[in-house]
């Protein structure tokens, strides 16, 4: 207990702090022009407070197509809330690609670990890479947890979870953390076959223990679940606070169904963004800061198109060699006009592109 | 390509415009092949070089803590020199060219990298990537030709000032990093008038250079010596020596890139409306290589493959060796001079030119045609 009336005590904090800051500045001078952590990264990649990373501590195969990674986050991590997702940055063939994965482990594990479950998606570079190559000891880059697909502080008396495929992962995180706080839980889960149910054993164990009412739907045999069928499966449908996660069409259908019933505010959805962008010719380029927007045809560089629209653009050699014109692309798809290489960015990516040699190959959003 | 066309021994007299565009297409195809396979191997390579460099630097600096003892001084100085050379050449130069931007690693990126050099990365990128690489060997545009302090072309008017240029060049070699910093600042030009001196961009750049030099000097000449305690002066001398060795080495490598016999220079007017093929051709004729072992290539940051580097400045440098085989075949196919040679020969050739041009031209030029400014070959191509 320090009382504010003791100046000696008060004076001490700034002095030690100043000393520590000064000492740190000397350490920084020792390593200039890089920072001390660049050297430390070589031996202790998790302790860098400015670059959040995680070590893969264990890899469990869930199904033929899904794998769970147990991760130990490094310094700077902030615990997640059940239902949130994290972005993982994985170097695939030398290129760092970021993808979002729901945290499937319960919150606040004493080991400090979290787990994510990766489902291989068609044409998914990162998911198929992790499925084949994730090993214990591997270092991945990590972002802080995000997303509002979470339970309210006041737990609902009746809850319903409608999931399909890998949509079960955030719900599994919620169930593992808080199923004991939820008095009446129904889980309606769709997968192609019984073997394809990710966390099938865990879900069936919860059901057997009477914690949840599990309704499994195997779409390979029974076809896709229609919202209208839900009323038969769950009679008190609209009395329940509902969380849904799965493919976009399913979520759209559910959203329509709930709003027709006037219960839209009871439905919470989590959408997995589609990450597969298909290259076309030309596209609209939006400069998000200035609000300028221009239609850029295939043969015209984004630099030229932007300048023609009155956007202030950084530029240099205008032939792809000086890297003065790079701008972050938040979302979109571009084609290198020299070699035809395609570069894509999904939300949160901020991929730096050379605007003087890149042409739009679809809608692009630039951070400029 | 008007300069070349007026040369007595024009190396491209036999090429048609179609040939030049065909050369451009073949070079684009070579580039595409590398882009298609660029990936894991290149990322692993640069990460490994960075790791080796950092370990070598830490190790050498640790040894220098005991530099009072002559063997420690020798080992530490040698190690630190190699570490500084690697840091500048194979790592700094190449990352700042954007060669590893494809990795999307914010730590190894042309927009974030800073190097152990007096000039801040950003200023160097402007004068090097943007000016030198675009206007390679264009007299009056590419200041890398003579760094603004030397006469590098017979057609430049001789002035008694140039008598001392071998001396300038030698001093520049010793303190190359400061020379480069002054060059990036365009110090001579910007100090000339009051208006230029007070230009806010120049002031800002000057301040950035001052800060950078301050930090670098503090590191090498105060902090590390102080950590060595009784070895203070020895460590200071070791760091000075390592800096000078690094400077002389990079100066030599860089002189070999565009100065040796056989390299062409170009007129300002010759690049108007230049096509991609013509740009490629200018890079081919305006650069020279250094032959040698793999170690030699690594220690020069693969600038020993200067021709390949100028054709493809943004491809990972460790790919230049494999690219060189195809590039050289292309030179032979189109009967163009591929200037290369071992380091001592190329350095001697470049120095000979510096000395030769410090004196007035030996032969007076033939009576000039009043309609055309007189041009003579800067140097004879080595192959006919």
């Amino acid at each position: 207990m320090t009382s504010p009336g003791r100046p000696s005590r008060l004076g001490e904090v700034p002095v030690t702090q100043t000393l520590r800051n000064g000492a740190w500045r000397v350490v920084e001078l020792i390593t200039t022009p890089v920072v001390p952590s660049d050297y430390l990264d070589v031996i202790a990649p998790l302790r860098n407070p400015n670059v959040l990373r995680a070590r893969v501590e264990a890899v469990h195969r869930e199904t033929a197509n899904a794998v769970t990674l147990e991760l130990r986050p490094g310094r700077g991590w902030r615990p997640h809330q059940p239902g949130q997702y994290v972005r993982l940055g994985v170097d695939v063939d030398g290129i760092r690609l970021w993808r979002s994965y729901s945290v499937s482990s319960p919150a606040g594990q004493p080991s400090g670990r979290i787990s994510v479950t990766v489902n291989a998606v068609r044409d998914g570079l990162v998911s198929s890479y992790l499925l084949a190559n994730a090993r214990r000891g591997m270092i991945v880059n990590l972002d802080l947890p995000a997303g509002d697909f979470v339970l309210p502080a006041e737990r609902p008396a009746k809850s319903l979870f409608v999931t399909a495929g890998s949509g079960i992962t955030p719900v599994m995180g919620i169930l593992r953390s808080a199923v004991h706080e939820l008095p009446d839980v129904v889980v309606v889960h769709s997968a192609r076959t019984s073997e394809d149910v990710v966390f099938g054993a865990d879900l069936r164990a919860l059901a057997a223990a009477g914690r949840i009412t599990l309704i499994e739907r195997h779409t390979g045999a029974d076809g896709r679940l229609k919202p209208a069928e839900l009323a038969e499966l769950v009679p008190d449908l609209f009395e329940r606070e509902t969380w849904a996660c799965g493919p976009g069409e399913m979520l759209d259908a559910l959203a329509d169904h709930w709003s027709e019933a006037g219960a839209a505010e009871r439905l919470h959805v989590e959408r997995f963004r589609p990450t597969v962008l298909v290259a076309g010719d030309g596209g609209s380029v939006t400069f998000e800061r200035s609000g300028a927007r221009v239609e850029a045809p295939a043969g015209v560089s984004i630099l030229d198109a932007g300048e023609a629209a009155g956007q202030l653009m950084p530029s240099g050699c205008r032939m792809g060699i000086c890297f003065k014109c790079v701008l972050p692309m938040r979302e979109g798809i571009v084609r290198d006009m020299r070699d035809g290489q395609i570069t894509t960015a999904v939300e949160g990516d901020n991929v730096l592109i050379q605007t003087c040699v890149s042409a739009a190959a679809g809608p692009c959003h630039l951070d400029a | 390509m008007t300069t070349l066309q007026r040369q007595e021994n024009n190396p491209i007299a036999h090429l048609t415009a179609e040939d030049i565009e065909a050369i451009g297409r073949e070079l684009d195809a070579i580039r595409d092949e590398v882009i298609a396979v660029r990936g894991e191997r290149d990322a692993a390579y640069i990460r490994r070089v960075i790791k080796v460099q950092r370990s070598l630097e830490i190790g050498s600096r640790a040894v220098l803590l005991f530099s009072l003892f002559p063997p420690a001084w020798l080992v530490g100085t040698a190690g630190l020199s190699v570490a500084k050379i690697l840091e500048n050449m194979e790592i700094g130069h190449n990352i700042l060219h954007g060669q590893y931007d494809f990795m999307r690693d914010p730590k190894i990126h042309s927009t974030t990298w800073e190097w152990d050099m007096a000039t801040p990365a950003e200023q160097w990128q402007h004068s090097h990537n943007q000016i030198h690489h675009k206007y390679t060997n264009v007299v009056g545009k590419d200041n890398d030709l003579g760094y603004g302090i030397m006469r590098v072309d017979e057609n430049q008017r001789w002035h008694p000032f140039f008598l001392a240029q071998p001396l300038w060049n030698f001093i520049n070699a010793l303190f190359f990093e400061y020379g480069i910093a002054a060059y990036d600042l365009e110090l001579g030009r910007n100090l000339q008038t009051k208006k230029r001196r007070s230009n806010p961009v120049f002031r800002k750049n000057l301040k950035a250079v001052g800060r950078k030099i301050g930090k670098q000097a503090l590191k090498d000449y105060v902090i590390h010596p102080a950590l060595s305690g009784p070895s203070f002066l020895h460590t200071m001398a070791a760091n000075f020596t390592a800096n000078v060795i690094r400077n002389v080495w990079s100066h030599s490598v860089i002189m070999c890139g565009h100065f040796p016999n056989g390299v062409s220079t170009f007129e300002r007017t010759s690049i108007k409306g230049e096509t991609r093929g013509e740009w490629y051709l200018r890079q081919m004729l305006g650069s020279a290589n250094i032959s040698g072992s793999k170690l030699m290539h690594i220690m020069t940051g693969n600038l020993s493959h200067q021709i390949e580097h100028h054709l493809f400045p943004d491809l990972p440098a460790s790919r230049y060796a494999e690219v060189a085989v195809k590039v050289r075949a292309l030179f032979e196919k189109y009967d163009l001079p591929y200037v290369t040679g071992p380091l001592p020969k190329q350095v001697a050739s470049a120095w000979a030119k510096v000395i030769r041009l410090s004196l007035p031209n030996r032969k007076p030029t033939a009576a000039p045609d009043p309609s055309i400014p007189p041009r003579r070959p800067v140097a004879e191509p080595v192959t006919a």
Side-chain angles (χ1 to χ4, degrees), chain A residues 176-197:
Chain A
R176 281 171 175 167
S177 307
V179 74
H180 54 281
E181 297 168 9
L182 298 170
D184 180 354
V185 182
V186 177
V187 177
V188 180
H189 179 66
S190 299
R192 209 172 56 82
T193 67
S194 169
E195 291 75 46
D196 288 324
V197 176

Side-chain angles (χ1 to χ4, degrees), chain A residues 32 38 93 96 317 339, chain B residues 31 40 103 107 134 219:
Chain A
T32 190
D38 288 331
D93 196 19
R96 184 156 308 162
C317 68
D339 50 40
Chain B
R31 183 176 187 281
E40 182 79 51
M103 291 160 61
K107 279 269 169 193
K134 182 167 186 178
K219 168 177 81 163

Side-chain angles (χ1 to χ4, degrees), chain A residues 117-134:
Chain A
T117 301
V118 178
N119 262 270
V121 291
R122 202 156 42 92
D123 300 326
L125 280 175
V126 179
S127 58
S128 39
Y129 177 85
L130 285 175
L131 208 63
N133 298 297

Side-chain angles (χ1 to χ4, degrees), chain B residues 151-154 158 162 165-166 259-262 349-362 377-380:
Chain B
R151 180 170 176 258
V152 289
D153 186 323
E154 265 88 353
W158 182 83
F162 291 125
Q165 79 177 23
F259 271 39
N261 257 338
S349 170
W351 270 100
K353 188 168 174 181
V354 168
I355 294 164
R356 188 176 76 237
L357 290 167
S358 70
L359 302 167
N361 294 350
R362 232 174 291 162
V378 164
E380 251 66 41

Side-chain angles (χ1 to χ4, degrees), chain B residues 110-288:
Chain B
S110 65
T111 54
T112 55
W113 193 263
E114 194 48 88
W115 56 351
D116 185 353
M117 247 253 187
T119 189
E122 204 186 337
Q123 289 186 39
W124 178 82
Q125 277 177 316
H126 171 76
S127 56
H128 183 83
N129 292 6
Q130 195 180 330
I131 308 295
H132 166 59
H133 270 272
K134 182 167 186 178
Y135 300 111
T136 310
N137 285 25
V138 176
V139 179
K141 277 259 186 194
D142 178 8
N143 288 326
D144 272 38
L145 281 173
Y147 305 108
I149 53 168
M150 287 193 291
R151 180 170 176 258
V152 289
D153 186 323
E154 265 88 353
N155 291 293
Q156 272 176 295
R157 192 195 290 267
W158 182 83
H159 187 276
F161 169 82
F162 291 125
L163 280 172
Q165 79 177 23
L167 180 67
W168 301 144
N169 200 37
F170 180 67
I171 295 172
N172 190 28
L174 295 182
F175 302 103
F176 193 48
E177 58 175 320
Y178 301 103
I180 292 288
Y183 164 73
D184 292 345
L185 278 170
E186 295 190 73
L187 201 59
R189 203 175 73 95
N190 278 318
L191 287 180
Q192 262 171 16
T193 65
K194 193 162 178 234
K195 198 177 155 209
R196 285 201 176 128
R197 277 196 295 274
S198 54
N199 178 324
V201 177
F202 172 65
R203 309 288 312 175
K204 194 189 106 219
N205 288 344
L206 193 65
K207 225 166 138 181
V209 172
R211 235 187 346 255
K212 184 86 195 285
I213 291 179
K215 273 191 180 174
Q216 293 289 107
L218 212 56
K219 168 177 81 163
D220 280 342
Y221 302 127
V222 180
I223 306 277
H224 283 285
L227 288 173
S228 319
S231 304
F232 187 98
L233 286 176
H234 296 80
T235 299
M236 200 169 154
N239 289 353
F240 179 78
T241 309
N243 279 331
V244 168
I245 290 174
R246 185 264 318 269
N247 288 347
V248 171
W249 176 259
S250 30
H251 178 267
S252 304
V253 169
I254 284 156
M255 274 235 298
C256 293
H258 304 288
F259 271 39
N261 257 338
V263 171
S264 304
T265 57
F266 306 86
E267 251 177 41
R268 231 183 236 260
T269 48
S270 70
I271 58 161
K272 264 199 192 134
E274 196 175 54
T275 64
R276 185 159 174 82
E278 286 170 337
W279 181 83
Y280 268 137
L281 190 61
R282 178 156 56 84
Q283 308 305 319
M284 293 165 88
L285 300 172
S287 312

Side-chain angles (χ1 to χ4, degrees), chain A residues 29-30 32-33 38-39 91 93-97 316-317 319 321 323-324 338-339 341 343 351-352, chain B residues 31-32 35 39-40 54 57-58 97 101 103-105 107 109 115 130 134 218-219 223-224 279 313:
Chain A
L29 270 176
I30 292 174
T32 190
D38 288 331
Y39 288 92
D91 291 341
D93 196 19
I95 302 172
R96 184 156 308 162
L97 300 174
C317 68
M319 56 187 303
I321 54 177
F323 291 78
K324 271 264 170 174
R338 297 166 299 178
D339 50 40
Q341 287 273 313
T343 300
V351 178
L352 290 168
Chain B
R31 183 176 187 281
D32 291 353
I35 295 278
E40 182 79 51
R54 287 190 180 153
E57 186 180 344
I58 293 177
H97 260 293
D101 280 14
M103 291 160 61
R104 300 190 196 169
D105 180 341
K107 279 269 169 193
H109 200 275
W115 56 351
Q130 195 180 330
K134 182 167 186 178
L218 212 56
K219 168 177 81 163
I223 306 277
H224 283 285
W279 181 83

